[in-house]
Amino acid sequence: MAAEQGLSLVDLDRDGVDTAFREDVLQGLSEPQKAIPARWFYDDEGSELFEEITRLPEYYPTRAETEILTDRCDEFRTMIGGGRAVVEFGSGSSVKTPLLLNCIDPAAYVPLDIAGDFLRSSADALSAKFPGLPVYPVEADFVRKVELPIEVTAMPKLGFFPGSTIGNMVARTAVDLLRTMRATLGEGSQLLIGMDLVKDQAILEAAYDDAAGVTARFNLNLAHRINRELNGTIPIDALRHVARWNDAYSRIEMHLEALRPIEFEVSDHRFSMGEGDTIHTENSHKFSRRSSTTLLLASGWTPRQRWTDREERFSLILADATVPRSAP
Ligand code: AVI
């Protein structure tokens, strides 16, 4: 295991507990509105459930984005051009990557991910599909500036951040991340980013509360994870999955709601919830043309082109790291 060899970016204490996970959970459960950062969904079980979500009939984002990548290949070739180093942020299993790489004739591919073992196996799979393409996987947490491999420093770069993961961040964090990506890639780079669009509330709520209950299992898995890894006693049967549209913030929120008053322990700390109290587990912001433009401009990226799927549910935006010359 990479963690045992000291190669992992994850900090484990003497009992093998992820210290950042414990801190976030204890802090989040102590707030008046309990909240746990969505990044903790993705243990092995959570990552598998997320893969299942992407195949659900109600969950349109993955299909819509794949449709754009397939339909607009020629336009990507024209707007992006060949010879770039493609730097993918949070590459995971890199499933959408071949679609893009096939369009643009890149000079190199640099997948960045915090999960080292997974990163290297998917980089190997991609190398097998693109035998002539240099692939330089980098195990890194891209919320901080990443030093890219020396081999790609002189190449023009394209950042790739598909999936609307940017929507899982509040505006302040999203701006920080986009500015950090700009610092990682450098002046003059391009960024191709997926952003999910505002649409009918019923479609949005169904996408996050599917009939088969997979998203509910994904949400509840966080409570199971706390019980498993942090010595928790959360009564899972007393929690239900809730997904609701928050219009003021233009986002779907996921919560775990207590069906009855409960008390439980996590890492020797006691917590209680009244009936109807919730743990806020995720935000998924949905964008308009204007809000996406504002977010990108505020982060030092100028949008140059945007594409949507045929039903206009999802957008892919190409932006560049140049400052538009305009007064004042
Ligand atoms: C990863 N992220 C973009 C997904 C989303 O749509 O916000 C996570 C997700 N949560 C529930 N379903 C999917």
Side-chain angles (χ1 to χ4, degrees), residues 42 50 53 59 163-165 168 208 215 218 254 282 284:
Y42 300 94
F50 179 65
I53 287 174
Y59 192 77
S164 201
T165 301
N168 294 130
Y208 291 83
T215 313
F218 175 71
M254 296 207 316
E282 188 182 59
S284 194

Side-chain angles (χ1 to χ4, degrees), residues 4 14 26 51 117 141 153 195 227 257 278 284 293 320:
E4 287 156 5
R14 257 186 281 121
L26 294 179
E51 289 301 313
D117 294 344
D141 186 354
T153 5
M195 292 200 196
N227 283 354
E257 183 184 297
T278 69
S284 194
T293 298
D320 60 40

Side-chain angles (χ1 to χ4, degrees), residues 1-10 114 116-117 120 139:
M1 292 282 290
E4 287 156 5
Q5 292 162 5
L7 297 172
S8 171
L9 295 173
V10 177
I114 199 163
D117 294 344
R120 280 179 285 275
E139 186 175 351

Side-chain angles (χ1 to χ4, degrees), residues 68 72 197 306-310 312-316:
I68 305 170
R72 304 303 186 122
L197 298 172
R306 71 185 67 225
W307 296 273
T308 64
D309 60 303
R310 278 163 257 155
E312 304 201 345
R313 295 166 297 180
F314 195 94
S315 64
L316 262 177

Side-chain angles (χ1 to χ4, degrees), residues 37-94:
R39 60 188 279 238
W40 299 114
F41 277 137
Y42 300 94
D43 63 352
D44 288 351
E45 176 76 15
S47 301
E48 271 172 35
L49 285 165
F50 179 65
E51 289 301 313
E52 224 181 291
I53 287 174
T54 63
R55 294 189 291 271
L56 290 168
E58 295 95 331
Y59 192 77
Y60 59 84
T62 310
R63 272 189 304 282
E65 189 172 43
T66 304
E67 181 191 307
I68 305 170
L69 284 166
T70 312
D71 285 3
R72 304 303 186 122
C73 193
D74 290 347
E75 291 168 54
F76 295 142
R77 186 171 294 127
T78 312
M79 298 283 306
I80 297 167
R84 287 188 180 261
V86 175
V87 178
E88 184 166 2
F89 294 96
S91 50
S93 57
S94 302

